């Protein structure tokens, strides 16, 4: 039985998984770049808080440098997000 579509819902105790927005950044948590940017806009301005709020970087941690780059504003290209 394929459960990949329900993986986050099952792992997060039934909490409905948020849709991936933009390019996939964290494959462990199925978190997109847009999801991370939205958390920054909601006030997460430190890496640890951003990872906890978004779920990115909480698995294997290999995406943390990319999450840090997004936090530092390297994603801000005219015409995006």
């Amino acid at each position: 039985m394929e459960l990949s579509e329900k993986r986050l819902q099952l792992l997060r105790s039934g909490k409905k998984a948020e849709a991936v927005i933009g390019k996939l950044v964290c494959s462990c948590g199925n978190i997109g770049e847009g999801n991370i940017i939205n958390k920054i806009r909601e006030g997460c301005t430190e890496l640890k808080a951003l990872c906890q709020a978004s779920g990115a970087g909480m698995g294997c941690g290999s995406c943390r440098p990319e999450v840090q780059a997004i936090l530092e504003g390297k994603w801000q290209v005219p015409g995006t997000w």
Side-chain angles (χ1 to χ4, degrees):
M1 174 185 244
E2 180 61 42
L3 295 177
S4 62
E5 300 220 0
K6 294 191 174 215
R7 183 176 93 191
L8 283 180
Q9 185 178 2
L10 293 169
L11 292 174
R12 292 186 177 169
S13 303
K15 180 180 176 188
K16 180 118 174 104
E18 191 174 329
V20 175
I21 303 171
K23 137 185 124 131
L24 187 66
V25 172
C26 176
S27 58
C28 293
N30 207 31
I31 311 296
E33 183 177 33
N35 303 96
I36 295 168
I37 292 167
N38 286 342
K39 294 300 178 186
I40 294 169
R41 289 179 176 159
E42 291 173 11
C44 295
T45 58
E46 295 180 4
L47 181 61
K48 184 176 180 180
L50 179 58
C51 289
Q52 289 174 340
S54 68
M58 301 301 288
C60 73
S62 66
C63 65
R64 281 189 177 214
E66 190 169 357
V67 174
Q68 180 69 43
I70 294 168
L71 179 61
E72 291 172 357
K74 295 178 181 171
W75 56 272
Q76 294 178 341
V77 177
T80 64
W81 302 105

